[in-house]
Amino acid sequence: MISMTNIVKRFGDKTVLSDVSFNVEPKEIFGLLGPSGSGKTTIINILTHQLTPEGGEYNIGASPIETGLMLEEDGLYKRLSTTDNLNLFAGIYGVNRNKVQEALESVGLGKEAKTPVSKLSKGMRQRLALARAILHSPKVLFLDEPTGALDPTTGRQIHKLIYNLRDEGTTIFLTTHNMEEAVDLCNHVALLHEGVIVEQGTPTEICEKHNSFKTVPDLGAVFMKMTGVTEV
Amino acid sequence: MNAVKALFTKQAVDLPKNMTVLSMFIMWPIMGILFGQFMPDPISIQMANFAGILIGAGPMIAISNNVAEDVEYKGLRFLVMAGVKPWQYIGGMALFFAIVTIVTLAIMAILGGFTGEILLWFCILSLFGIISSSLLGGAIGIFSKNVQQATAYSMPIMMVLAFIPIVAMFNEGIGRFAQFLFSYQIGAVLFPLVMRAYPGFTYDIPDPDYTRAVIVMVANAVILLVLFIVAYKKKGLRG
């Protein structure tokens, strides 16, 4: 569904991605793991055609309109209500307006339908950005740190929503620096360090390979062992 | 058409909440009414005067502010990712603010009592003026990284477009420069026409030169279209 082969990306003299390759199968949750600055967002920007790589090839089995996107910068209209923000995109996608309330309910913002975005907390804005990303039932969903600003309870609700979307046939590509989240959510993961993929596979395979399977797979320990970083 | 309609609707919902832009459309008719009440000149002259400022400032400030805001807060990035084409984005916005300007101008025309030849020229000049002002606003918005920068560009330009034509009435030197501005030609044509309707009020203003007015208006629109295309080709609309 999504593939990258030998992708190289430079900003000036600095190489931010070196020979990055991976495959994402249809209807799976694929996690790209790594600390801030490792190149995760650059990969999403390339896959969503916002950046052009210097080398390599990439492919997405979905048109831009069949793609949903949630980035760290939410791009929401602060003066407008949550409903009006989604109405804009419902109009663009040609989606029935009933789906707007459904999308708000699905991220737990049903009661905030008339609230201006400027009055929402960061976590609520993140959930609204997710509602916008799934409004048109995309084939492929890109989520950049989907639970980064959320409390654990809301984070779990979002995890449940992501599972449901996967079960309904959406291919999900997410980035996170939260190793536990990756173990919980992802069918396959790739560990990214300074623009290089140092390991990839299922969380269980990776942890077994590196003897880091305690009661649950400990991807954090694998990452630290492979990259030499002391904290993830 | 879905995208244009959706963006048009979004602007309609957003305008009453955006005081910076809204003030550009309500301030000038109110100024016209106040000046009409307290100045010796008839309200028609005040409305012609402030209509020129509205046309020069309204669409330009509104479009530059909105485009710059969409670039700064990344709204444009999500619109592009949703398949919105640049012409749909800028077209939906320009269409909305053109209609808002036309409605405001219609109110000013009614308040000023414009009829016949005055109304005809008011409509012709307004149309060209709105096109020029919108293109200028689009170019400023594209060139700006954020709202602050767009304001820094658009305010001095607004001062030139809006107030130089007024100062030009009293200063020949400035008048020689101002005659090349689309906003000046609106007043240059309308003032003598309006004053003909009020023989009691006489100023030393020549008769309108319709040919020159049309040439300047068309030339301004063409130059600003070129500026817009250059801005778009250089920086694009990707957010």
Side-chain angles (χ1 to χ4, degrees), chain B:
Chain B
M1 278 312 284
N2 273 355
V4 175
K5 198 174 148 196
L7 288 161
F8 187 95
T9 310
K10 178 254 166 188
Q11 292 297 349
V13 175
D14 186 49
L15 180 62
K17 300 176 173 102
N18 188 348
M19 283 316 292
T20 311
V21 172
L22 184 63
S23 64
M24 281 295 135
F25 294 98
I26 56 175
M27 182 164 59
W28 308 118
I30 291 172
M31 295 281 275
I33 293 168
L34 290 176
F35 275 59
Q37 291 293 317
F38 299 113
M39 299 290 277
D41 310 332
I43 193 166
S44 309
I45 291 176
Q46 303 304 341
M47 285 301 169
N49 207 355
F50 286 107
I53 300 179
L54 166 69
I55 293 165
M60 180 190 68
I61 298 279
I63 294 174
S64 62
N65 185 285
N66 271 279
V67 173
E69 194 173 61
D70 282 353
V71 170
E72 182 176 0
Y73 298 111
K74 310 296 175 201
L76 183 56
R77 176 177 293 187
F78 286 90
L79 294 175
V80 172
M81 283 301 304
V84 174
K85 304 277 182 292
W87 72 264
Q88 293 173 321
Y89 170 75
I90 207 82
M93 190 183 292
L95 180 67
F96 176 77
F97 287 113
I99 290 172
V100 172
T101 311
I102 288 166
V103 169
T104 314
L105 288 170
I107 293 167
M108 294 175 88
I110 293 166
L111 289 170
F114 299 162
T115 52
E117 197 183 3
I118 301 174
L119 186 62
L120 175 71
W121 278 102
F122 183 71
C123 293
I124 292 169
L125 298 170
S126 297
L127 185 69
F128 279 109
I130 289 168
I131 292 168
S132 295
S133 185
S134 301
L135 288 166
L136 187 54
I140 293 170
I142 291 170
F143 268 125
S144 306
K145 284 180 189 158
N146 50 46
V147 178
Q148 198 179 7
Q149 199 173 54
T151 309
Y153 291 147
S154 59
M155 281 301 161
I157 295 172
M158 184 190 92
M159 299 299 275
V160 169
L161 286 175
F163 297 110
I164 287 213
I166 297 171
V167 179
M169 288 199 297
F170 310 104
N171 185 307
E172 209 176 309
I174 293 175
R176 276 198 290 274
F177 158 74
Q179 65 180 322
F180 297 108
L181 299 176
F182 68 88
S183 55
Y184 173 84
Q185 290 299 334
I186 294 168
V189 170
L190 288 180
F191 281 1
L193 291 176
V194 169
M195 274 185 277
R196 257 190 232 161
Y198 293 90
F201 294 90
T202 52
Y203 289 90
D204 185 21
I205 293 180
D207 283 341
D209 184 340
Y210 298 119
T211 312
R212 173 183 285 190
V214 170
I215 289 170
V216 169
M217 298 299 279
V218 173
N220 269 242
V222 170
I223 290 166
L224 292 169
L225 177 64
V226 171
L227 176 72
F228 177 80
I229 292 169
V230 169
Y232 179 73
K233 290 210 162 182
K234 199 164 181 184
K235 293 205 70 179
L237 263 173
R238 291 189 58 84

Side-chain angles (χ1 to χ4, degrees), chain A residues 12 34 39 52 69 92 99 114 120 155 201 226 230-232:
Chain A
T52 309
L69 179 66
I92 291 168
K99 288 275 282 181
K114 290 182 179 171
L120 298 179
M226 296 202 65
T230 52
E231 198 174 324
V232 182

